[in-house]
Amino acid sequence: MASTADRLARQQERERGIGTKKHAVKFSQQDYESLRKQCLASGRLFEDNCFPAERKSLGYNELGPYSSKTRSVVWKRPTELCSYPKFIDDGATRTDICQGALGDCWLLAALASLTLDHRILARVVPPGQSFTEDYAGIFHFQFWQFGEWVDVVIDDRLPTRDGKLLFVHSAEGSEFWSALLEKAYAKVNGCYEALSGGSTVEGFEDFTGGIAEIYTLDKPPPQLFQIIRRALSLGSLIGSAIDITSARETEAVTALKLVKGHAYSVTGAEEVHFRGRLVQLVRIRNPWGQVEWTGPWSDGSSEWNYIAKDEKSNLNHVADDGEFWMSYSDFIRHFSKLEICNLTPDTLMSDNVGHWNHYQFEGMWRVGSTAGGCRNNPATFSSNPQFVVRLDDVDDDPLDGEDGCTFLVGLMQRNGRQQKRLNRNFETIGFAIYEVPDEYKGRSNVHLGPDVLLRQRAVAMSSTFINTREVCDRFRLPPGEYAVVPSTFSPHKNGSFVLRVFSEKEAATSPLEEDIDAKIEEEEISESDVDPHFKQLFKQIAGNDMEVSTFELVTILNNVVSHRSDIKTDGFSLETGRLIVSLLDKDESSMLGLMEFHLLWCKIQKYLEIFKNHDTDNSGTMSSHEMRGATTEAGFHVNSAVLQAIVSRYADAQYAIDFDSFVGCLIKLEMLFKMFKSLERDDSAKIELDMQQWLCLAIY
């Protein structure tokens, strides 16, 4: 319950704007400014107890506490490593980022690309930090993490061996922003070793909050050149590389001076008139500089002699440090993959570029309630979380001339690197997109059931289900309303995710969730309406006082259900008995009189009918995935979050719900709804309690 409370608290923070770039979450609840002031006032350098200068911060396996690789490591501050350390010297450049004894080249390639745009880098590396003015051994950085920006505080004690930095370092050895940033990113992910292995786009996303697309160039989509041009106009970061087949090929230079296994940036895409025809060109930058393409359209090649002067002057803006043009056809022939990181308006505020419209949602898959698996699992598929996207306006400038609405969908799993030390892998994830039927259009307070999802084919799907951090694909569909259903491939897998939608035009997006509500119908009857035979039975049960205590009630209920072979039950517990009495005890006698017991009996008859309707296999129990429909039939409308809580509380180890648990659940729901309505003020959908009131209600 405490973790649920923490999650609810984070939701409330996000509603107040915490987690945006302007109001980053304080990682480990550490505030940079207050900690820095404390250190300056005390005259002591900061020591971070949340990420201590100890072996456990290095790793868990190859860099674990008992590994030979960590025995000679000494943590030192930059002031102990050189006489005049600098945070950033004359701007952040690629040469500030030299890889050390850690397999995080993916991260460093992304970081190096960011040095090409200091506006973006300044969001990750807050300015004004140094080893001179008010130095206190404390620094901070900001990263995007699964839907929110976090501000990460670190001390500047860095792992060294033989007086040299063990991991990232600058070529000169006196500049430390990259080493400190790497430490902050290691802290976010649990340790340095957690950074081993990854994709450059992961770094792109965590440094920008953008959404990444990956294209393999041996099978490019027909409009990829137009996609590149559109992405550049939207301020996207674009990288490309030539795959290697063995470690020997790393940084190998081809005959035409392209470097294998090396991260390039794509900085331009234009069309030129060449000998009576249009030729598509792309501009590439090698961040290392020096080594440049020597094939057609390279600097000084003969192709430029056949280009009109005005076109040539517009195109020939290339840097002297490794930027060059090449034809698009040569580009897709020589390069292996293209990575586009599409940015949010929050990342790059500029009037010179357009912007994607950006929407994001958090969700969870929970075994027994919302972990339905892919479409191959028809019994549970519709249990998955659902989100609606309404596309009204077609693209202004369609890439192929046909009208449609372009949008990206990215599904990201949370906290994969933190799970590495537990030897846990990513789940296999993907998503399907369905057209919303006419009767549900314009509504977000519904959850599409199997009668809707299983009777139609998906209009689009993720390109694959794969065990990676994120699955992202580009789509273009006609205007309309669409339901996105994210899932793991197999059912019954726990996980948390962030679903993001980037659209060229504004789109209406929201979770597809039922409104929480209850329609509790209680028939008004008098004692004279009660069947005389029922009265006689009650008198025999209740005795002379004509009241049934909690203990007597439990005995009665268990006696009744024990004689039924069509339902399974472990028996009504004393806790459930007390709950029933609390709900129905009108005169606060802590017992049930005739009319109260009659009301209970009517409820149980109704609940038994609902239970049997949803026991589809006649097993005597009900699958927890049926609880949404069963509670709806009983008059309670619950969303996925409430459903998850119900399953956690009332399902057994096999995620089945027996009859006594079902009754207990519905009784608890009715009590909670009535309590809330009693305490709610002016239909505000909120209640306010002090500590005593909260404790009394929670314990009760």
Side-chain angles (χ1 to χ4, degrees):
M1 182 175 287
S3 60
T4 301
D6 289 341
R7 177 167 51 82
L8 294 176
R10 289 196 299 272
Q11 290 177 357
Q12 292 173 349
E13 286 181 345
R14 283 191 289 274
E15 290 172 1
R16 299 197 306 269
I18 305 299
T20 62
K21 188 62 188 174
K22 292 182 179 179
H23 302 285
V25 173
K26 294 176 175 58
F27 191 76
S28 296
Q29 298 182 331
Q30 292 175 300
D31 182 77
Y32 169 73
E33 289 296 343
S34 61
L35 289 171
R36 182 165 169 266
K37 288 178 181 177
Q38 290 172 21
C39 291
L40 291 172
S42 65
R44 300 180 62 181
L45 296 180
F46 178 61
E47 294 187 1
D48 185 10
N49 294 327
C50 295
F51 196 61
E54 300 173 2
R55 287 186 176 183
K56 66 179 182 181
S57 297
L58 294 175
Y60 49 87
N61 186 17
E62 290 188 8
L63 296 177
Y66 305 105
S67 170
S68 60
K69 295 183 179 180
T70 63
R71 286 176 188 164
S72 58
V73 170
V74 178
W75 297 77
K76 292 187 176 184
R77 298 184 189 271
T79 51
E80 301 174 85
L81 295 173
C82 65
S83 301
Y84 300 103
K86 296 181 178 63
F87 185 67
I88 294 180
D89 184 20
D90 195 25
T93 63
R94 179 78 189 233
T95 58
D96 301 339
I97 309 164
C98 300
Q99 187 175 357
L102 187 64
D104 61 349
C105 58
W106 61 275
L107 177 68
L108 309 185
L111 186 58
S113 294
L114 291 192
T115 63
L116 301 177
D117 193 324
H118 288 200
R119 295 169 299 173
I120 299 176
L121 187 66
R123 290 177 167 267
V124 179
V125 186
Q129 304 185 80
S130 75
F131 290 97
T132 53
E133 186 177 352
D134 290 334
Y135 168 69
I138 183 171
F139 293 86
H140 71 130
F141 300 85
Q142 294 194 348
F143 307 114
W144 183 88
Q145 289 286 283
F146 311 109
E148 62 186 17
W149 285 91
V150 296
D151 189 88
V152 186
V153 172
I154 57 166
D155 64 34
D156 61 351
R157 294 177 295 178
L158 296 168
T160 70
R161 180 183 287 124
D162 299 327
K164 296 181 179 179
L165 290 177
L166 187 61
F167 303 129
V168 168
H169 53 278
S170 66
E172 296 82 3
S174 59
E175 201 167 353
F176 289 92
W177 70 269
S178 59
L180 293 169
L181 185 149
E182 182 188 45
K183 179 177 181 177
Y185 198 66
K187 178 179 177 178
V188 165
N189 288 284
C191 63
Y192 277 94
E193 189 173 355
L195 306 185
S196 293
S199 169
T200 301
V201 295
E202 183 177 341
F204 273 156
E205 290 182 333
D206 285 358
F207 294 150
T208 66
I211 191 171
E213 304 173 80
I214 302 176
Y215 295 97
T216 54
L217 298 182
D218 57 343
K219 295 180 180 179
Q223 285 82 39
L224 182 58
F225 180 77
Q226 287 79 10
I227 290 173
I228 294 172
R229 293 187 73 175
R230 182 70 59 83
L232 290 168
S233 72
L234 293 171
S236 303
L237 299 176
I238 306 180
S240 192
I242 303 171
D243 287 343
I244 59 174
T245 56
S246 67
R248 293 195 306 271
E249 289 188 333
T250 303
E251 303 296 334
V253 180
T254 69
L256 295 174
K257 301 297 183 181
L258 295 176
V259 185
K260 292 186 176 182
H262 184 60
Y264 285 84
S265 299
V266 179
T267 59
E270 300 292 345
E271 291 182 319
V272 297
H273 293 87
F274 175 73
R275 290 184 167 180
R277 61 186 176 90
L278 278 176
V279 175
Q280 297 172 334
L281 301 179
V282 291
R283 189 172 63 209
I284 314 293
R285 184 173 184 182
N286 175 2
W288 289 113
Q290 301 167 350
V291 180
E292 284 192 22
W293 163 254
T294 58
W297 298 101
S298 60
D299 296 357
S301 68
S302 60
E303 285 80 9
W304 293 106
N305 298 329
Y306 300 92
I307 303 300
K309 287 185 177 180
D310 56 342
E311 280 191 312
K312 186 175 180 180
S313 63
N314 289 333
L315 290 180
N316 208 19
H317 297 301
V318 294
D320 295 329
D321 58 349
E323 198 166 30
F324 55 86
W325 290 94
M326 65 190 305
S327 71
Y328 171 71
S329 58
D330 277 338
F331 171 69
I332 61 173
R333 183 181 304 118
H334 289 277
F335 283 82
S336 307
K337 63 182 178 181
L338 181 80
E339 300 170 333
I340 301 176
C341 184
N342 302 284
L343 306 182
T344 69
D346 186 50
T347 304
L348 185 60
M349 298 301 294
S350 171
D351 295 331
N352 297 326
V353 297
H355 293 298
W356 290 93
N357 295 283
H358 167 233
Y359 314 91
Q360 70 179 31
F361 307 95
E362 294 190 8
M364 292 190 295
W365 298 295
R366 285 296 177 264
V367 177
S369 57
T370 57
C374 70
R375 176 68 180 264
N376 296 345
N377 307 277
T380 56
F381 175 64
S382 64
S383 300
N384 286 298
Q386 302 171 5
F387 303 85
V388 66
V389 178
R390 187 171 71 237
L391 305 170
D392 293 325
D393 301 320
V394 298
D395 302 342
D396 287 334
D397 185 19
L399 299 180
D400 60 0
E402 296 185 8
D403 285 342
C405 306
T406 297
F407 64 106
L408 310 175
V409 177
L411 175 63
M412 178 181 289
Q413 302 184 69
R414 296 178 64 95
N415 302 325
R417 292 194 176 273
Q418 290 89 329
Q419 300 292 327
K420 290 177 80 172
R421 67 168 63 221
L422 302 176
N423 201 29
R424 294 178 184 170
N425 296 321
F426 283 118
E427 297 294 344
T428 301
I429 61 170
F431 56 85
I433 302 176
Y434 292 85
E435 189 169 5
V436 175
D438 290 341
E439 60 267 32
Y440 295 113
K441 286 182 178 178
R443 297 176 58 190
S444 59
N445 61 339
V446 295
H447 186 89
L448 304 181
D451 58 321
V452 175
L453 296 180
L454 299 182
R455 76 183 183 195
Q456 62 170 305
R457 298 175 65 90
V459 296
M461 297 186 69
S462 55
S463 57
T464 183
F465 274 76
I466 188 170
N467 60 335
T468 188
R469 182 173 96 147
E470 184 176 37
V471 173
C472 178
D473 284 288
R474 176 184 291 254
F475 304 98
R476 192 178 61 176
L477 293 175
E481 286 191 35
Y482 301 94
V484 183
V485 184
S487 72
T488 55
F489 182 77
S490 300
H492 319 308
K493 301 288 186 181
N494 284 325
S496 299
F497 64 84
V498 176
L499 183 81
R500 297 188 289 166
V501 178
F502 280 47
S503 60
E504 286 209 4
K505 291 298 188 74
E506 286 191 18
T509 63
S510 68
L512 274 175
E513 282 287 9
E514 291 184 284
D515 292 335
I516 298 176
D517 194 14
K519 296 179 180 178
I520 303 169
E521 299 177 357
E522 294 181 352
E523 187 179 355
E524 293 291 336
I525 62 172
S526 63
E527 187 172 337
S528 60
D529 297 324
V530 179
D531 182 84
H533 180 62
F534 185 88
K535 287 182 182 179
Q536 186 62 33
L537 287 175
F538 180 77
K539 185 175 182 179
Q540 293 175 9
I541 293 168
N544 294 331
D545 62 355
M546 292 295 286
E547 295 270 337
V548 173
S549 70
T550 299
F551 305 96
E552 291 171 325
L553 175 62
V554 171
T555 301
I556 294 165
L557 294 175
N558 286 334
N559 185 48
V560 171
V561 297
S562 65
H563 290 89
R564 299 193 65 111
S565 59
D566 56 342
I567 58 175
K568 289 184 179 179
T569 174
D570 293 329
F572 286 83
S573 66
L574 190 60
E575 180 185 353
T576 301
R578 285 179 171 142
L579 195 63
I580 293 172
V581 172
S582 296
L583 175 66
L584 301 175
D585 178 22
K586 305 297 184 184
D587 57 6
E588 298 189 43
S589 66
S590 297
M591 303 179 78
L592 300 183
L594 172 63
M595 299 306 296
E596 295 161 342
F597 190 82
H598 185 270
L599 179 60
L600 169 63
W601 197 251
C602 293
K603 286 183 182 295
I604 288 180
Q605 294 299 314
K606 174 186 175 182
Y607 294 165
L608 178 60
E609 182 180 353
I610 295 171
F611 184 83
K612 290 183 67 63
N613 287 343
H614 290 271
D615 176 16
T616 53
D617 60 357
N618 297 315
S619 64
T621 63
M622 190 174 66
S623 166
S624 61
H625 283 278
E626 298 290 344
M627 277 300 286
R628 188 189 295 269
T631 54
T632 300
E633 189 175 341
F636 305 102
H637 294 276
V638 299
N639 62 14
S640 295
V642 176
L643 189 64
Q644 290 166 12
I646 287 173
V647 172
S648 297
R649 174 66 179 80
Y650 293 100
D652 65 16
Q654 285 71 46
Y655 294 93
I657 295 175
D658 59 16
F659 183 63
D660 59 280
S661 295
F662 182 64
V663 172
C665 173
L666 297 185
I667 293 291
K668 187 68 174 283
L669 279 174
E670 183 174 343
M671 174 178 280
L672 291 172
F673 272 107
K674 286 183 174 179
M675 288 168 59
F676 188 93
K677 287 300 179 182
S678 296
L679 295 165
E680 182 187 24
R681 295 180 181 176
D682 304 323
D683 294 323
S684 63
K686 293 181 180 181
I687 61 175
E688 184 175 329
L689 302 172
D690 62 27
M691 181 65 77
Q692 175 185 297
Q693 293 167 332
W694 158 247
L695 289 174
C696 288
L697 283 174
I699 290 173
Y700 194 64

